[in-house]
Amino acid sequence: MVAIGAAPRLPELLESEFADLTDHLSGDAIEACATASRNMRDDHQIGWVNAVPNAVHHTALRAAAAMARALGDRSTADRHDRRADALREDFQRLLFDPEAGRYRDGLDRTGSPIDHHSFHSSVFALRMGLASERLRPGLVRAVADGGVRGNIFAGMFFFETLFSYSQGVRALEFITDAAAVGPARQLAQGATTTWEAWDKDLKWNTSLCHPAGSMVGSVIAQEVTYRCWGAVFCAKRQRPSSFSTSAPMVSAIRRKPRSVG
């Protein structure tokens, strides 16, 4: 556990506790990090080096470089960028499986690739900017065709990925289809609050008012309301004809809160 007072030492703690000599996030803590969350894991395999935290680590390094550059510290910015470049190269070389066209979940303790390609590994590789430009179209199609195979937290990155790679129509289909895994399914079950899981029975103790449930809502607010509706309202002063007001996500806006049995 890292105390709040230790925040200035976070880079040092990350490197000493989680990163090996090749600057991959690794170790027992990474292996154990998903054991408490078995809700829609798509059988994601946790190894000594794991795809998901390393993808996030890559984005953190890029953000640290950008902050250092904004503060005029070019040497620190360049150092973080070099680390991110090296991580991206290793991520691609070690984790992408050309035969499957997907990213592997990670590496075991011997450094051998884990022969499993979960929803999470490819979604995070795309969202965190690790997938090469050549691979992105095929990866995005594969991810979209598979639908949401992760919990609400992973779902946020799934929807962000589709919107980021020109698959907004597919994202809207998942968002508004009550038969698919997504927010419309919650509304079809009577949700008027932000649930912790896509379905009440996915966890024995699912909270029906949980902050995690607002994650997908933030994507809807930003991508659907602002980008889709906002752009059309500003340009044409009308609602997009392709987005039906009878869809569950839209009609629910007019509903009054009610109890859930």
Side-chain angles (χ1 to χ4, degrees):
M1 181 69 69
V2 178
I4 293 177
R9 295 180 56 238
L10 276 177
E12 176 188 339
L13 288 168
L14 280 173
E15 292 172 11
S16 62
E17 297 296 328
F18 297 111
D20 61 19
L21 294 178
T22 57
D23 205 24
H24 304 137
L25 292 189
S26 61
D28 292 321
I30 297 300
E31 286 190 297
C33 70
T35 57
S37 177
R38 301 188 181 279
N39 177 7
M40 295 190 68
R41 279 181 54 185
D42 196 30
D43 200 28
H44 181 78
Q45 302 297 301
I46 304 298
W48 187 249
V49 172
N50 188 264
V52 172
N54 274 284
V56 177
H57 184 40
H58 171 265
T59 297
L61 289 171
R62 295 296 187 198
M67 287 188 287
R69 192 168 289 109
L71 293 171
D73 189 347
R74 182 177 294 274
S75 63
T76 298
D78 291 344
R79 177 166 59 87
H80 286 313
D81 271 334
R82 286 194 299 271
R83 294 174 64 194
D85 289 341
L87 176 57
R88 187 171 186 265
E89 181 180 340
D90 285 344
F91 194 99
Q92 185 66 31
R93 177 173 56 86
L94 297 171
L95 297 184
F96 184 72
D97 184 347
E99 293 185 6
R102 304 287 292 271
Y103 283 92
R104 301 181 178 94
D105 291 350
L107 308 175
D108 63 21
R109 287 174 177 266
T110 69
S112 300
I114 295 172
D115 190 24
H116 189 267
H117 318 82
S118 72
F119 160 90
H120 305 71
S121 297
S122 290
V123 166
F124 276 81
L126 283 164
R127 188 68 189 98
M128 302 299 165
L130 285 156
S132 67
E133 187 172 352
R134 177 179 61 84
L135 297 174
R136 289 171 191 168
L139 271 172
V140 173
R141 284 194 300 271
V143 166
D145 289 344
V148 180
R149 299 206 306 275
N151 62 17
I152 286 180
F153 179 72
M156 176 185 71
F157 292 98
F158 169 79
F159 290 122
E160 285 182 344
T161 296
L162 295 191
F163 279 115
S164 297
Y165 291 100
S166 303
Q167 293 292 317
V169 172
R170 297 294 303 276
L172 286 174
E173 290 173 356
F174 286 115
I175 288 172
T176 58
D177 184 0
V181 175
R185 174 181 289 190
Q186 296 174 320
L187 292 174
Q189 296 176 73
T192 60
T193 54
T194 55
W195 288 6
E196 183 183 7
W198 297 121
D199 292 290
K200 286 186 291 184
D201 59 356
L202 278 175
K203 293 173 79 262
W204 69 270
N205 62 342
T206 299
S207 168
L208 301 186
C209 188
H210 196 283
S214 65
M215 292 177 175
V216 173
S218 68
V219 178
I220 294 172
Q222 178 176 337
E223 302 291 350
V224 179
T225 305
Y226 176 71
R227 292 195 183 186
C228 297
W229 284 8
V232 173
F233 282 147
C234 291
K236 301 181 180 179
R237 295 293 192 273
Q238 64 183 21
R239 189 189 311 275
S241 59
S242 61
F243 196 71
S244 171
T245 56
S246 63
M249 286 301 298
V250 179
S251 59
I253 297 173
R254 305 191 184 98
R255 299 176 185 171
K256 295 181 180 180
R258 60 190 183 281
S259 62
V260 179

